Amino acid sequence: MSVLTAESHPHAGTIVLARHGEPALSRKVLLSATQYVDFWARYEVMGLLPGQTPPGALKTFVAECGTLVSSTRLRAIESAQTVAGARAFERYEILIEAPLPPPMLPGWIKLSPKIWGFLARFCWWFFNHHDGQESRAQAEARADRAAAMLIELAADGENVVVLAHGFFNHLIGRSLKKLGWKLTKSEGYKYWSMRRFERPSVS
């Protein structure tokens, strides 16, 4: 897979969607559905696991981009601070992760947070299980607004880097594609990964 670099398109107004680093909350536990609700609530307010080193390519891209933004979640803010040092950046609530309300299975069923996350996202996506929180349709509309905001930030030709969240970054990417932007490089959705979108050429 090609490595993302800032030098590849130095004059293009690209948008890079980067996932935050590894959070401090361990996932090596087994939880009931109710316990997972509490786990997710704690996950949403915690910062990063100490001692991480972000990829050099991401640090280089951030150093050379025109605009850096993050979501308002602590793990995203600390990720941006880790790669940007003292550089100032804006934080936007519109970039926070989509919710993960789990299906209320019997309490004796204990699963890992990873499996709960998969089940919660599956039910949220395909069966509109949102437990009174943001629905899929609402999240997709928010992603459309976020994509429009990022496009506006990139309108002057400067590169934009976003430090946010895996699934909501995916939704923003879908919105960018609907508007004609192209995914030109991808590192997937692991911690610290980047996905770069380039604006359509003007004929």
Side-chain angles (χ1 to χ4, degrees):
M1 181 176 294
S2 300
V3 175
L4 289 160
T5 64
E7 295 80 11
S8 299
H9 294 276
H11 302 298
T14 62
I15 296 174
V16 169
L17 304 177
R19 190 184 180 194
H20 58 76
E22 183 177 356
L25 190 59
S26 173
R27 297 191 179 200
K28 297 179 180 179
V29 291
L30 293 178
L31 306 169
S32 67
T34 301
Q35 290 170 330
Y36 180 73
V37 171
D38 178 65
F39 173 93
W40 179 253
R42 287 183 288 127
Y43 181 89
E44 280 283 74
V45 299
M46 293 192 72
L48 293 183
L49 184 70
Q52 295 182 68
T53 302
L58 176 58
K59 294 182 70 172
T60 298
F61 208 99
V62 168
E64 299 182 2
C65 75
T67 302
L68 171 67
V69 298
S70 82
S71 90
T72 53
R73 295 297 189 234
L74 184 58
R75 61 191 185 276
I77 293 171
E78 290 186 352
S79 296
Q81 291 170 335
T82 299
V83 296
R87 176 177 178 173
F89 59 91
E90 296 292 331
R91 301 105 188 258
Y92 294 99
E93 188 172 4
I94 197 173
L95 299 173
I96 65 172
E97 184 61 289
L100 276 174
M104 282 295 116
L105 301 182
W108 56 267
I109 297 178
K110 299 292 184 73
L111 304 170
S112 70
K114 182 176 181 180
I115 294 177
W116 276 122
F118 172 80
L119 290 175
R121 185 63 73 215
F122 183 88
C123 293
W124 180 85
W125 186 261
F126 291 104
F127 300 107
N128 197 34
H129 173 73
H130 55 82
D131 198 25
Q133 302 179 57
E134 184 180 48
S135 68
R136 171 184 171 178
Q138 291 169 330
E140 289 178 314
R142 177 163 63 91
D144 287 343
R145 296 194 300 273
M149 179 189 76
L150 298 176
I151 290 171
E152 180 68 22
L153 291 174
D156 61 358
E158 294 285 355
N159 294 328
V160 176
V161 177
V162 180
L163 262 299
H165 309 275
F167 190 79
F168 196 69
N169 277 357
H170 166 69
L171 292 184
I172 295 174
R174 292 172 79 241
S175 297
L176 290 172
K177 289 178 180 179
K178 286 190 299 183
L179 295 171
W181 286 61
K182 306 298 183 183
L183 176 63
T184 57
K185 302 288 183 181
S186 177
E187 296 176 344
Y189 296 96
K190 62 184 183 295
Y191 296 130
W192 297 116
S193 61
M194 294 185 288
R195 300 171 71 237
R196 188 177 73 201
F197 292 81
E198 296 183 14
R199 57 183 176 181
S201 59
V202 179
S203 57

